[in-house]
Structure formats: C-alpha cells, structure tokens
Amino acid sequence: MDCIQQLHEGAMRCAADYLNRESELIDYLQKLGEKRAFIRYGFPSLFKYAVECLKLSDSKAYELISIARKSKEVPELKRAISQG
C-alpha cells in the first residue's frame, strides 16, 4: 500500500470516528440541556458550558445545541444522525 492510500484510509477512519463522536456529543448536549446540568458547574447556559468547559468554538457549540434541540422535536432527525 502506498503513502497516499494510507493517508486516505486514515482520513476515512478518522472522519467516521468524528461523525460517531459528534452524534454522541449531540446526545449528551441534549441530556445536559434537559436537566440544566450546566448550572451545577457554574454556567448560565448550555452554550456557555459548551464553549468554556467543552472548548467548542462558538459556531460549533451553536450548531450542535441547535441540532440537539431540534432532534428532540423531530425524532427522525436524531435517528438519521445516529445512523450517520
């Protein structure tokens, strides 16, 4: 196997893992938001928790929290995310 093929396969594995972990993080954010668990750690909002504690960028935190909230309203969205 050549170097380019190895890079490609490594990138494919990493991307698959990233998508799985992103789906898992959306699920955690949904549950943290429902329980308002971020308050226990001194954060006034789930967004602040995601940015300051989880070290997500503002845009990524907003995106994932929006998806977490919308997937509660639309169960098909949550299924689609978990299936990749």
Side-chain angles (χ1 to χ4, degrees), residues 43-60:
F43 295 98
S45 68
L46 183 58
F47 178 79
K48 286 284 193 185
Y49 172 83
V51 171
E52 294 177 18
C53 186
L54 301 181
K55 306 298 185 207
L56 300 176
S57 68
D58 288 2
S59 61
K60 184 52 84 171

Side-chain angles (χ1 to χ4, degrees), residues 9-58:
E9 289 179 8
M12 294 291 289
R13 282 190 307 274
C14 189
D17 188 49
Y18 171 79
L19 293 173
N20 288 335
R21 300 300 274 174
E22 188 175 54
S23 173
E24 188 177 0
L25 181 54
I26 289 168
D27 191 46
Y28 276 110
L29 289 170
Q30 186 179 54
K31 291 172 184 173
L32 286 160
E34 288 171 359
K35 297 183 182 302
R36 300 184 55 78
F38 50 86
I39 292 171
R40 177 184 292 186
Y41 300 99
F43 295 98
S45 68
L46 183 58
F47 178 79
K48 286 284 193 185
Y49 172 83
V51 171
E52 294 177 18
C53 186
L54 301 181
K55 306 298 185 207
L56 300 176
S57 68
D58 288 2

